[in-house]
Amino acid sequence: MHAPMRTCVGCRAVRPQAELLRARILLADDGEKVLVVPDEFVRTCSKRHGLSASGRSAYVCPARACYERAARRGGFARAFARKMPAVDPAALWNAHGEALAGMIDLLNRSGGIATAPRVQRLAALATAMRAAVGRVS
Ligand SMILES: [Zn+2]
């Protein structure tokens, strides 16, 4: 079986989906208000802000440079297939760091061997994000 592949909205590299961070877009019914959040935050954010999640996702390498590039070149708007306000790459990057840490913590506390592969995958992404800090282009 092949691992699903996705394209980074920043550098356009095609990588296994598991190696990429996933951002989602939340919308108000009238399409006016827009929020881009880490996939892990979709449920809490949509509840808190009364917005609904669109089915579309944007995948980004765990690299700060890819967030910057995607924001600069309209990679998020392209992935979400809509006109939208500029994404703040630093804020989204930080939110993703928090999302990973929170999800790892939650999975560890809920325990169970079933969550181990997921924790491993998220921990690898978190490590990659930490390694990428300081290599901002
Ligand atoms: Zn990339």
Side-chain angles (χ1 to χ4, degrees):
M1 237 182 54
H2 292 281
M5 306 293 280
R6 295 289 181 269
T7 304
C8 168
V9 293
C11 67
R12 315 287 291 162
V14 178
R15 304 174 62 170
Q17 184 177 335
E19 293 175 14
L20 297 164
L21 293 158
R22 181 181 184 185
R24 302 274 301 274
I25 187 164
L26 299 176
L27 305 162
D29 290 337
D30 59 7
E32 282 302 307
K33 194 176 177 197
V34 168
L35 218 55
V36 177
V37 298
D39 185 47
E40 292 81 1
F41 282 174
V42 161
R43 211 170 301 171
T44 41
C45 285
S46 65
K47 221 177 278 174
R48 186 182 314 148
H49 301 283
L51 304 171
S52 16
S54 122
R56 290 188 175 269
S57 299
Y59 292 90
V60 202
C61 296
R64 181 74 184 260
C66 286
Y67 280 71
E68 305 279 352
R69 208 175 304 172
R72 212 166 45 228
R73 298 186 187 162
F76 291 107
R78 204 161 37 240
F80 296 129
R82 72 188 321 280
K83 278 204 177 111
M84 51 187 270
V87 171
D88 177 350
L92 186 58
W93 170 262
N94 289 334
H96 249 139
E98 277 172 41
L100 286 182
M103 191 53 79
I104 290 167
D105 188 49
L106 187 78
L107 290 171
N108 277 333
R109 270 186 288 124
S110 67
I113 251 167
T115 63
R118 184 133 184 252
V119 171
Q120 226 164 52
R121 184 179 82 75
L122 295 176
L125 281 171
T127 303
M129 284 184 83
R130 275 194 299 276
V133 173
R135 285 201 271 112
V136 180
S137 62

